[in-house]
Amino acid sequence: MIDHRAPPPPAGPVPWDKKFALRLLADMVRIRRMEEKSAEMYGAGMIRGFLHLYIGEEATGVGALHALQPEDNIVATYREHGHALVRGMDMGVIMAEMYGKREGCAHGRGGSMHLFDRATRLFGGNAIVGGGLPLAVGLGLAAKMQNEKRITACFFGDGAVAEGAFHESLNLAALWKLPVLFCCENNLYGMGTALERSESQTDLCVKAASYNMPALKVDGMDIVAVHEITKQAAQRVRAGEGPLFVEYQTYRFRAHSMFDAELYRQKAEVEEWKTRGPIHTFSARLKAEGKLTEEEFLAIDARANAEVDAAVAFAEAGTWEPVEDLLRDVHAS
Amino acid sequence: MSRKLNYREAMREAMHEALVADPRVFLMGEDVGRYGGTYAFSKGFLDEFGPERIRDTPLSELGFVGAGIGAALGGMRPIVEVMTVNFSLLALDQIVNTAAAYRHMSGGQFSVPLVIRMTTGAGRQLAAQHSHSLEGWYAHIPGIKVLAPATIEDARGMLAPALADPDPVVIFEHAGLFNMEGELPDDWTVDIRSAKVRRVGRDVAIITHGGSLPKAMQAAEQLAAAGIEAEVVDLRVLRPLDTATIAASVAKCHRAVVVDEGWRTGSLAAEVMARIMENVFYELDAPVARVCSEEVPIPYARHLEAAALPQPEKIVAAVKEMLG
Ligand SMILES: Cc1ncc(C[n+]2csc(CCOP(=O)(O)OP(=O)(O)O)c2C)c(N)n1
Ligand SMILES: [Mg+2]
């Protein structure tokens, strides 16, 4: 267990209007329902390959992405279904990609780990740990050289911090004062390896700060704290202060991919984190403040389930790309 | 008395034996310990041998492969497991610029007795970044030996001679083979020098390795049903190649099809074909053919992935076309 906990968030009511609060709650529920269904469809053999679920970590992606602008760039990992959805990708298109159907965002070429969307500036879905960080630096460089106002938000896990790419990227971004927001989703494990078994310095902010950039940590299970800190961070990056690092302290409730024996962590630890589950804690808070009724929650949930059903129907009705097209999209022509 | 075991168990036994036999041997890599091994090859090892010798590493491929080289130089006998060949690209610099060149650039003063193991290959719908078959690249590099165990015997037997070898040895284990069961005879012996004829034939030599071996064997059975007797040669050792065994089989069958999951252009298959030209050109009754992966990053969708890879049907078709 790491002892570099984020400070407790400011007390007081949720600083958002009801509409915005319910929108973020709904996005967490949409991700949760979509992923539960994905797991079911994996079991049914409709989705194959690796499937990395974001269940438990929804507050991080939803809170952070809602603090960004449509013109911003997003770089994500293989645990990116939620990011794609919140960014605006159609759930049916995501599901179709996971089914390997032509109607998916990459026509079934990429699958679950490689969701790309030009329209929402989502630059993937990268399945090489740390692989997205240098890319984010380059996107930041391009924006800076072309005087664009966009920033690049790069999501990656705690495991990626051990890769050379992390260190090279943070150094470059700070050296060149690039508009990159490094979003580290610290769920305490890289596959089966706990953070304290892989890092000599488990305070990831200390590492980032050593590259001479501001580094903030936040309770990634608290969507309000996540959103507020990301908003501030994005503003600073956009204002030209250079890159910034945010560590979101979160937890994955499910296996690393679809199955692992979970020999590396205690059941009790998982259960303890589940009590901090982002959906029920945020709902409870909104209810206590009179911003959410049980009926409203049920309606949000019903809408999410309907969206999931429609997405599955869309994926199932999808078609297979003809084998004659196997060699397409390798070169420009 | 032979006994039945699968590829995974065979590899696990081989590592177990090495760890018991030599205190200098240790296993290092991502999730080899607490997690039990990505593919359960080292399940239970942490309890038995402890964290010094079953060493979980951070996600630092360049660092821990390089550390393996240093440990080998320093007198240990490391087995470094890189989770898959895909991630070995992050360690390529240490393998190529350091491990492979060390003996030569030190004028023979130093050697690197290191074993690097990694999973290779496609076939599980893992898409472009997790489906590489790059053993042909490694086979390009002087200074390392490259092995591709494709049978239970080789999975059980190749590690010990690899560890005994004074130079770096890279072992490629095709993910499609892990659940394969087979009989291990009591009197097995395995070298890391020769190719092996896995099926005797006379009409065509099918030359292959790794995950394509079972496909070639299946193709040979289908061909036999059509009255064509294929000989199947398992390269086993991709560097240095056993040219004599390849040449002997081609000289006998007068026809050859090379099957390689690597992409066609610049493939190991191309090298095998070149050696056939150099050595047994006048024995050939037909141009040498090959079945390789299509030149596309491996797609996720099942039907497209299958179409991108060598398959028994494609091998059968190539042979039939050759025989007219
Ligand atoms: C370079 C590289 N090495 C190893 C892997 C295998 N692998 C995939 S995910 C993963 C764990 C990564 O952990 P982390 O960065 O914390 O992200 P999380 O999965 O926890 O979201 C590993 C070891 C990989 N994909 N890429
Ligand atoms: Mg993690």
Side-chain angles (χ1 to χ4, degrees), chain A residues 78-79 127-131 133 156-167 187-195 197-200 252 256, chain B residues 29-32 38 55-65 81-84 87-88 90-91 130:
Chain A
Y78 46 85
R79 202 180 293 288
I128 300 300
V129 172
L133 283 100
F156 53 94
D158 48 292
V161 170
E163 294 283 9
F166 170 84
H167 299 275
N187 61 11
L188 296 176
Y189 293 88
M191 220 166 114
T193 303
L195 188 66
R197 299 183 60 249
S198 81
E199 288 297 327
S200 58
R252 104 177 118 67
H256 166 71
Chain B
E30 289 160 14
D31 288 309
V32 297
T38 307
R55 192 170 281 269
D56 277 323
T57 66
L59 277 137
S60 308
E61 289 81 4
L62 182 81
F64 69 75
V65 170
E81 177 176 306
V82 179
M83 202 178 274
T84 75
F87 319 140
S88 80
L90 282 75
H130 276 66

Side-chain angles (χ1 to χ4, degrees), chain B residues 276-291:
Chain B
I276 293 171
M277 302 311 157
E278 287 166 348
N279 292 280
V280 278
F281 180 77
Y282 294 107
E283 298 287 348
L284 288 172
D285 285 348
V288 182
R290 59 180 149 166
V291 178

Side-chain angles (χ1 to χ4, degrees), chain B residues 3-18:
Chain B
R3 64 196 169 92
K4 219 187 181 87
L5 72 172
N6 68 28
Y7 190 96
R8 196 188 301 267
E9 291 158 352
M11 202 69 220
R12 189 180 177 284
E13 261 188 43
M15 285 200 283
H16 189 270
E17 177 186 70

Side-chain angles (χ1 to χ4, degrees), chain B residues 94-138:
Chain B
Q94 283 293 323
I95 300 172
V96 177
N97 282 325
T98 303
Y102 218 88
R103 174 184 296 282
H104 186 76
M105 65 189 179
S106 69
Q109 295 181 76
F110 293 108
S111 65
V112 181
L114 168 69
V115 171
I116 303 173
R117 297 176 35 248
M118 55 183 99
T119 298
T120 188
R124 296 175 302 148
Q125 287 193 262
L126 298 181
Q129 294 183 323
H130 276 66
S131 300
H132 291 301
S133 285
L134 296 176
E135 53 271 22
W137 277 16
Y138 284 92

Side-chain angles (χ1 to χ4, degrees), chain A residues 48-50 97-98 100 108-111 113-114 126-128 159 162-163 191-193 197-198 260 320-321 323 326, chain B residues 31 34-35 38 56 58-61 83 87 90 124-127 129-130 294 296 299-304 307-308:
Chain A
R48 295 280 81 190
F50 289 148
E97 186 59 34
M98 297 204 277
R109 300 292 175 133
M113 302 193 286
H114 304 295
N126 199 317
I128 300 300
E163 294 283 9
M191 220 166 114
T193 303
R197 299 183 60 249
S198 81
D260 73 53
W320 303 110
E321 221 185 338
V323 170
L326 178 63
Chain B
D31 288 309
R34 189 70 63 90
Y35 190 83
T38 307
D56 277 323
L59 277 137
S60 308
E61 289 81 4
M83 202 178 274
F87 319 140
L90 282 75
R124 296 175 302 148
Q125 287 193 262
L126 298 181
Q129 294 183 323
H130 276 66
E294 300 297 333
V296 57
Y300 161 73
R302 185 199 307 265
H303 66 299
L304 296 178

